[in-house]
Amino acid sequence: MDEKRISVVVLLDMTKAFDGIRHDILLAKLRRIGISPSALAWLSSYLSGRKQVVRIGNAISEQLELRFGVPQGSILGPVLFTLYVNELLSIPNHYQSMGYVDDTKLLLALPPNQTTDAVSMLNDDLREITKWCCRNALLINPDKTKLLVIGVPQLTKTLSVTLMDKIIEPVTTAKDLGVYIDNSLNYNDHINKISSSCIYKLIMINRIKYLLDK
């Protein structure tokens, strides 16, 4: 912003990312990065043989063996997922990519007069990412993917990109790893949401304060 440039940020959303991991693809990736055969056999045992059922009221379905997904709530689950999607960050050819577990974002800073090129390059990168996700049994959710154009209001322009044949329109605020980032970086939305959350919790405490000692 100080350099009179704008920043285009795309926050990708994966649908049920932890549940979509294919065990055979994961084990092949682990083998390629040099996991020893004994450790690979242990991980295969850890992933295989899991079953799930569905319960509605008093009715319970038959057990179904899980051939997809890593155990959620475990320490190892996020590690395995990170190894599974690690190469995703090298797929974009134009935009910088960053990731934290299942949160992936694309970023590019450029002069305002190059927005047409920015949209074209972004669409190219999103197509390549979509292809990679299809090959790896993952699905990007275009309805929850956010496009944020950050910069001085006088310099920002309305952009729109295409993801899986859906138009992604820019938003004014997007949540990234718990922080609400707005297109002017004034953080008013973040402050307001945090304040509202604190006030709500203080009201809840006030209702039960007579039950609590000092």
Side-chain angles (χ1 to χ4, degrees):
M1 291 172 72
D2 292 340
E3 297 170 359
K4 301 295 186 293
R5 295 195 293 171
I6 63 172
S7 297
V8 180
V9 183
V10 178
L11 305 169
L12 298 173
D13 182 89
M14 290 187 182
T15 301
K16 297 186 179 299
F18 278 70
D19 295 328
I21 293 179
R22 273 180 48 178
H23 295 166
D24 56 339
I25 295 179
L26 173 59
L27 293 172
K29 289 175 183 283
L30 295 175
R31 187 181 300 109
R32 284 200 298 270
I33 65 174
I35 299 294
S36 67
S38 57
L40 201 63
W42 181 84
L43 288 167
S44 177
S45 174
Y46 175 73
L47 293 170
S48 61
R50 296 181 180 273
K51 301 183 188 312
Q52 74 173 19
V53 297
V54 176
R55 177 173 181 173
I56 301 177
N58 295 324
I60 300 178
S61 70
E62 295 181 359
Q63 291 186 352
L64 179 68
E65 184 173 355
L66 295 176
R67 293 180 289 111
F68 297 84
V70 293
Q72 297 188 44
S74 65
I75 295 175
L76 193 56
V79 176
L80 293 174
F81 181 85
T82 300
L83 292 171
Y84 190 87
V85 301
N86 188 48
E87 63 194 62
L88 173 61
L89 299 181
S90 64
I91 297 300
N93 295 314
H94 309 289
Y95 276 60
Q96 179 186 358
S97 57
M98 301 178 70
Y100 180 77
V101 194
D102 60 337
D103 286 302
T104 304
K105 64 181 72 67
L106 303 178
L107 313 98
L108 181 67
L110 68 159
N113 60 0
Q114 295 181 10
T115 53
T116 301
D117 294 336
V119 170
S120 176
M121 291 188 295
L122 180 55
N123 284 329
D124 287 342
D125 282 347
L126 290 175
R127 278 193 293 270
E128 293 303 315
I129 289 174
T130 302
K131 292 177 184 177
W132 182 90
C133 287
C134 290
R135 292 194 300 269
N136 289 272
L138 295 174
L139 180 63
I140 293 179
N141 186 350
D143 294 324
K144 292 187 177 180
T145 293
K146 305 298 183 185
L147 169 63
L148 194 64
V149 182
I150 301 174
V152 178
Q154 294 84 348
L155 298 178
T156 55
K157 299 181 179 179
T158 301
L159 308 180
S160 64
V161 300
T162 304
L163 176 60
M164 297 173 63
D165 296 327
K166 289 193 175 183
I167 301 297
I168 309 297
E169 300 287 354
V171 296
T172 57
T173 305
K175 186 179 181 180
D176 183 29
L177 298 179
V179 178
Y180 291 89
I181 302 174
D182 59 90
N183 54 4
S184 299
L185 291 185
N186 58 34
Y187 290 97
N188 287 338
D189 286 336
H190 181 72
I191 293 169
N192 290 336
K193 290 180 184 297
I194 293 297
S195 299
S196 297
S197 176
C198 290
I199 290 171
Y200 174 77
K201 290 172 182 176
L202 287 172
I203 291 172
M204 295 296 103
I205 293 173
N206 185 60
R207 290 179 178 177
I208 62 168
K209 64 182 180 182
Y210 67 93
L211 299 172
L212 309 173
D213 58 28
K214 290 185 178 182

